[in-house]
């Protein structure tokens, strides 16, 4: 566009047109007064010639003005629609119009710059909204931290970025960098040995003060010790100019870490510039969002670790109840996970379709394995550890032995009485020796039956019943020193008058413990187990007659009932969605593929692959 100093003003153009179209036509009038006809005709011809020349010039001028104003109007319409596609508008020979063009171009540039700034602000706001949604949904901590770092780098147009996280021992640890260079192994303490705050480093200063710091020139900065940054520049060849440090402060005021950005760049050109103070608000908003997301993630991690630890403690407590099954609850998860890992890696055969795709699925299976025997917490220890048939809280063989002792004392008394009565000593001694030998042999037999190693054949049970029929005399009241529960059980049975003749081995009515209400009978769980009539049967002859092992039918049901209790306990817990299958994994390890397992007699079509793995692991580690 031509400089305005060479352009004529609107007044100059107007004066010229007035001279052509007003003053020149008035010349003939003036000449009528003082000039002759010949001169008048020459003047008229000259005037006509000037008008013929001036009219096109006037048309050109008016067209130029119309075009110039039309251009301005069209461009104004485009600006109204935020269309900045046109360049500078053409100028005008009229100075005022040319000035109007210049002001219009300046206005366009200003609007374009402001619109660009507004678009960038809107983009950053949209980015913050998107970032908030991503941060709230991200479950992987490494990806969460990586997203925080790279999103902050993009918002402030930084060339590089570093993330520090607080440790449990009052230091900042290098956690993540946008570049591929290795992370420093050392940590930055927030306090020195005397407890004084360490504000020499910009990152520790930001963490301690909880305030943002902007450095425009690292190499002229005197507030902080940036020797580490300069040393890194020297070793890597990178040149750090500007720096921005923002704290990650949780809702309660706890500092979780520090975001550090290096070298702000001009969008488009990539030239190094200072960090924009306008972008600072967006970066701090990102830091606030990130701190909340990180705090929530840390809280979830802490709660997860706490729950897992409590589960392991519960399993350890169950293992500690019995020396015979000790370590079982800890070994089964270990073996189950090993089996699952091998099955997960199989690509052929019946296991080809089995996969645990996510860490949550692995954790669900792991928790199910740890809780597979949690119902044993309801199983009495004396049943779990029952080593002999007469054992309850203690081994009742000692009571039986004392009865044999009583019979032996009776035999000794009978011997002395016979000798005192004058019976032949030889016959008395022979009879006494035979009686003692019989008692010794019978007690040995009863004691062997109590151990439960040998199968109780019918003839052994018959002999046990014969031994049980022997009588001993009780001279003391058996209703003294009883608990309230024992007294309640004996209310319906009258006491025998003393002295009372008792069987050597007896199954008394009070030995029957009535069954209390059990969840195994609740049809909603679908349990298919044979439930004994009584809770326990403590009868001596009944227990000694157990054909195999040491457990009665009632006690065996009580042991097996632990899986019932496991299912009931776990199915009534409000597990989150990602742990919904824990009751299935924990409650099916006693089922079989033959429909003969318990407590639900599930078949192969009802047993998932993880449930089958659990069953194998439980059998293998008993």
């Amino acid at each position: 566009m031509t400089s305005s100093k060479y352009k004529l003003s609107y007044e100059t153009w107007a004066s010229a047109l007035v001279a052509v179209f007003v003053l020149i036509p008035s010349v003939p009038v003036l000449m009528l007064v003082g000039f002759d006809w010949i001169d008048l005709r020459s003047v008229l011809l000259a005037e006509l010639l000037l008008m013929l020349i001036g009219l096109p010039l006037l048309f050109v001028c008016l067209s130029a003005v119309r075009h110039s104003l039309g251009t301005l109007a069209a461009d104004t319409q485009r600006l109204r629609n935020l269309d900045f596609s046109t360049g500078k508008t053409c100028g005008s020979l009229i100075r005022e119009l040319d000035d109007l063009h210049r002001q219009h171009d300046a206005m366009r540039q200003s609007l374009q710059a402001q619109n660009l700034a507004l678009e960038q602000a809107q983009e950053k706001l949209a980015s913050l909204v998107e970032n908030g949604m991503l941060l709230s949904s991200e479950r992987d901590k490494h990806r969460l931290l990586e997203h925080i770092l790279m999103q902050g780098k993009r918002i402030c147009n930084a060339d590089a970025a570093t993330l520090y996280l607080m440790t449990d021992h009052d230091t900042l640890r290098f956690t993540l960098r946008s570049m591929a260079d290795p992370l420093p192994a050392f940590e930055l303490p927030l306090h020195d040995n005397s407890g004084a705050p360490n504000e020499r480093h910009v990152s520790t200063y930001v963490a301690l003060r909880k305030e943002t710091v902007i450095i425009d020139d690292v190499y002229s900065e005197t507030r902080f010790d940036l020797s580490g940054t300069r040393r890194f520049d020297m070793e890597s060849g990178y040149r750090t100019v500007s720096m921005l440090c923002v704290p990650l402060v949780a809702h309660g005021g706890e500092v979780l870490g520090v975001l550090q950005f290096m070298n702000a760049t001009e969008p488009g050109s990539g030239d190094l510039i200072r960090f924009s103070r306008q972008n600072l608000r967006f970066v701090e908003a990102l830091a606030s969002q990130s701190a909340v997301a990180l705090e929530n993630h840390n809280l979830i991690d802490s709660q997860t670790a706490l729950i897992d630890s409590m589960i392991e403690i519960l399993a350890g407590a169950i293992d500690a109840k019995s020396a015979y099954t000790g370590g079982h609850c800890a070994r089964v998860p270990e073996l189950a996970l090993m089996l699952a890992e091998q099955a997960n890696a199989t690509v052929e055969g019946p296991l080809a379709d089995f996969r645990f795709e996510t860490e949550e699925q692995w954790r669900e299976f792991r928790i199910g394995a740890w809780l597979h025997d949690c119902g044993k917490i309801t199983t009495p220890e004396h049943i779990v550890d029952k080593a002999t048939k007469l054992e309850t809280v203690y081994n009742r063989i000692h009571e039986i032995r004392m009865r044999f002792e009583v019979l032996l004392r009776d035999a000794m008394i009978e011997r002395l009485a016979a000798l005192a009565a004058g019976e032949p000593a030889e016959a008395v001694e022979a009879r006494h020796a035979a009686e003692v030998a019989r008692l010794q042999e019978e007690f040995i037999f009863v004691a062997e039956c109590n151990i439960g190693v040998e199968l109780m054949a019918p003839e052994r049970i018959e002999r046990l019943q014969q031994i049980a029929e022997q009588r001993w005399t009780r001279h003391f009241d058996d209703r003294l020193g009883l608990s309230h529960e024992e007294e309640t059980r004996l209310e319906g049975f009258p006491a025998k008058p003393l002295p009372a003749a008792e069987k050597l081995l007896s199954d008394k009515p009070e030995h029957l413990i009535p069954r209390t209400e059990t969840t195994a009978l609740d049809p909603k769980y679908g349990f298919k187990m044979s439930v004994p009539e009584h809770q326990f049967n403590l009868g001596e002859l009944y227990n000694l007659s157990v054909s195999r092992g040491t457990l009665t039918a009632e006690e065996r049901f009580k042991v097996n009932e632990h899986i019932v209790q496991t299912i009931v306990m776990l199915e009534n817990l409000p597990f989150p969605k990602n742990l919904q299958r824990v009751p299935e994994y924990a409650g099916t390890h006693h089922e079989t593929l033959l429909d003969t397992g318990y407590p639900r007699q599930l078949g192969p079509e009802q047993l998932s692959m993880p449930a089958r793995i659990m069953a194998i692991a439980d059998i293998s580690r008993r």
Side-chain angles (χ1 to χ4, degrees):
M1 187 180 293
T2 309
S3 177
S4 61
K5 69 180 182 179
Y6 301 112
K7 300 180 183 297
L8 299 177
S9 67
Y10 173 77
E11 290 82 359
T12 303
W13 283 100
S15 299
L17 293 175
V18 169
V20 173
F21 296 103
V22 178
L23 296 179
I24 292 177
S26 65
V27 171
V29 178
L30 296 175
M31 293 184 67
L32 288 174
V33 180
F35 298 94
D36 56 19
W37 174 251
I38 298 175
D39 292 334
L40 178 61
R41 186 175 61 181
S42 300
V43 171
L44 289 174
L45 290 174
E47 180 180 351
L48 180 60
L49 180 62
L50 289 173
M51 290 183 67
L52 290 175
I53 295 173
L55 283 174
L57 180 62
L58 177 61
F59 179 77
V60 170
C61 290
L62 291 176
S63 296
V65 170
R66 180 180 61 80
H67 176 71
S68 180
L69 293 175
T71 301
L72 288 174
D75 200 47
T76 301
Q77 182 64 33
R78 284 191 292 270
L79 291 180
R80 181 181 179 183
N81 297 326
L82 299 179
D83 180 5
F84 303 101
S85 59
T86 60
K88 294 183 178 180
T89 60
C90 297
S92 174
L93 295 176
I94 299 176
R95 183 180 297 165
E96 287 78 5
L97 286 177
D98 189 66
D99 288 342
L100 181 59
H101 276 278
R102 291 178 181 276
Q103 295 300 325
H104 182 83
D105 291 340
M107 179 184 68
R108 182 199 297 107
Q109 293 175 1
S110 177
L111 288 175
Q112 186 174 7
Q114 293 183 18
N115 184 69
L116 179 61
L118 180 60
E119 287 179 349
Q120 291 176 347
Q122 288 177 335
E123 181 182 354
K124 288 181 171 58
L125 286 174
S127 177
L128 285 176
V129 173
E130 179 185 3
N131 180 73
M133 293 188 293
L134 287 174
L135 291 178
S136 63
S137 61
E138 184 58 69
R139 292 293 177 262
D140 184 274
K141 188 170 185 179
H142 179 76
R143 287 201 298 265
L144 173 67
L145 298 177
E146 191 175 55
H147 177 79
I148 291 171
L149 186 67
M150 301 310 293
Q151 188 75 355
K153 176 178 175 290
R154 187 171 69 87
I155 287 177
C156 64
N157 299 318
D159 183 58
T162 300
L163 172 64
Y164 303 84
L165 287 183
M166 285 290 299
T167 67
D168 295 333
H169 43 278
D170 197 38
T171 64
L172 283 177
R173 185 184 74 251
F174 290 85
T175 304
L176 199 61
R177 275 183 170 172
S178 61
M179 295 184 174
D181 52 288
L183 293 171
F186 62 90
E187 299 176 357
L188 300 175
L190 267 65
H191 297 84
D192 58 25
N193 295 332
S194 64
N198 174 22
E199 298 183 347
R200 295 184 302 110
H201 303 287
V202 61
S203 54
T204 56
Y205 177 91
V206 168
L208 289 168
R209 296 292 186 95
K210 303 178 185 178
E211 62 184 44
T212 301
V213 170
I214 299 179
I215 300 175
D216 293 331
D217 187 354
V218 167
Y219 284 84
S220 63
E221 176 62 41
T222 58
R223 291 175 297 171
F224 307 107
D225 178 10
L226 296 173
S227 58
T229 302
R230 296 169 187 146
R231 184 170 56 254
F232 171 78
D233 287 356
M234 183 181 302
E235 294 173 353
S236 64
Y238 188 80
R239 175 73 177 180
T240 305
V241 178
S242 56
M243 184 179 292
L244 170 63
C245 285
V246 184
L248 296 172
V249 184
H251 180 71
E254 178 188 4
V255 176
L256 304 179
V258 172
L259 284 170
Q260 188 177 81
F261 305 100
M262 281 73 71
N263 289 352
T265 59
E266 180 73 32
S269 67
D271 296 335
L272 296 184
I273 58 175
R274 298 189 308 170
F275 280 98
S276 169
R277 270 58 178 175
Q278 292 179 342
N279 286 340
L280 181 60
R281 293 176 302 166
F282 296 106
V283 177
E284 289 180 335
L286 169 70
S288 179
Q289 282 184 340
S290 301
V292 172
L294 192 57
E295 182 181 33
N296 291 339
H297 201 283
N298 291 341
L299 181 60
I300 292 173
D301 284 348
S302 299
Q303 290 178 339
T304 299
L306 176 62
I307 292 174
D308 290 352
S309 297
M310 292 178 65
I311 290 171
E312 293 182 16
I313 287 175
L314 174 62
I318 294 171
D319 278 343
K321 288 181 64 176
S322 171
Y324 296 98
T325 61
H328 173 80
C329 291
R331 292 192 299 268
V332 167
E334 181 180 355
L335 181 58
L337 288 171
M338 291 171 61
L339 292 172
E341 288 171 358
Q342 292 299 315
N344 205 64
T346 302
V347 295
E348 296 179 351
L351 297 176
D353 295 332
F354 170 71
R355 288 291 181 275
F356 282 148
E357 301 289 349
T358 65
E359 175 56 34
E360 287 186 344
Q361 290 176 333
W362 281 104
R363 180 168 179 260
E364 184 179 42
F365 179 73
R366 183 169 60 250
I367 290 178
W370 275 103
L371 290 175
H372 80 284
D373 271 350
C374 66
K376 283 185 177 178
I377 198 170
T378 65
T379 307
E381 294 178 33
H382 70 272
I383 295 179
V384 176
D385 293 343
K386 189 179 181 186
T388 62
K389 296 178 180 180
L390 290 174
E391 187 172 347
T392 52
V393 178
Y394 68 100
N395 189 354
R396 292 179 292 162
I397 191 65
H398 304 298
E399 294 184 15
I400 307 301
R401 189 186 67 250
M402 288 305 299
R403 296 171 195 167
F404 274 96
E405 294 282 359
V406 170
L407 293 178
L408 180 61
R409 298 299 186 277
D410 289 345
M412 294 173 65
I413 294 172
E414 190 274 335
R415 167 181 168 272
L416 293 174
L419 289 175
E423 292 186 23
E426 184 177 350
V428 170
E429 294 295 344
R431 187 172 67 246
H432 176 71
E435 181 68 9
V436 171
R438 182 186 65 81
L439 291 174
Q440 291 284 0
E441 193 275 334
E442 288 180 348
F443 176 72
I444 291 174
F445 175 78
V446 172
E448 288 176 349
C449 292
N450 185 43
I451 296 175
V453 175
E454 190 172 345
L455 180 67
M456 289 297 291
E459 59 271 16
R460 291 177 63 84
I461 295 177
E462 183 180 356
R463 186 183 179 196
L464 197 62
Q465 292 172 342
Q466 293 173 354
I467 295 173
E469 292 300 320
Q470 298 180 70
R471 302 281 174 162
W472 66 283
T473 303
R474 174 172 59 84
H475 295 82
F476 294 91
D477 191 348
D478 62 355
R479 302 297 175 97
L480 300 179
L482 303 183
S483 67
H484 175 72
E485 183 179 355
E486 289 176 298
E487 290 177 346
T488 301
R489 289 205 308 268
L490 292 172
E491 284 179 354
F493 308 104
K496 293 181 179 181
L498 298 176
E502 299 276 0
K503 287 185 177 182
L504 185 60
L505 302 173
S506 60
D507 290 339
K508 298 180 179 180
E510 58 264 31
H511 284 154
L512 299 175
I513 311 299
R515 176 165 297 283
T516 56
E517 184 177 353
T518 175
T519 51
L521 302 177
D522 194 329
K524 75 175 184 178
Y525 293 107
F527 298 136
K528 299 176 182 178
M529 299 177 67
S530 177
V531 183
E533 178 184 358
H534 301 100
Q535 183 85 2
F536 296 110
N537 186 339
L538 304 181
E540 296 165 346
L541 190 59
Y542 176 78
N543 276 262
L544 287 170
S545 299
V546 169
S547 62
R548 187 184 302 273
T550 62
L551 298 179
T552 64
E554 293 79 9
E555 291 166 338
R556 191 167 299 279
F557 174 81
K558 188 63 179 177
V559 171
N560 292 341
E561 193 186 21
H562 82 273
I563 191 63
V564 170
Q565 297 298 331
T566 294
I567 293 172
V568 172
M569 290 164 61
L570 296 182
E571 288 190 355
N572 283 282
L573 286 177
F575 282 108
K577 186 176 180 180
N578 61 322
L579 298 178
Q580 288 294 310
R581 299 187 69 181
V582 166
E584 173 198 344
Y585 297 156
T588 54
H589 64 276
H590 284 298
E591 302 288 352
T592 71
L593 298 180
L594 303 176
D595 301 340
T596 57
Y598 65 92
R600 290 168 170 158
Q601 297 181 5
L602 302 178
E605 68 282 352
Q606 298 167 295
L607 292 174
S608 65
M609 192 58 65
R612 301 182 190 190
I613 291 174
M614 279 296 306
I616 295 172
D618 184 70
I619 294 171
S620 302
R621 300 302 293 178
R622 288 182 180 176

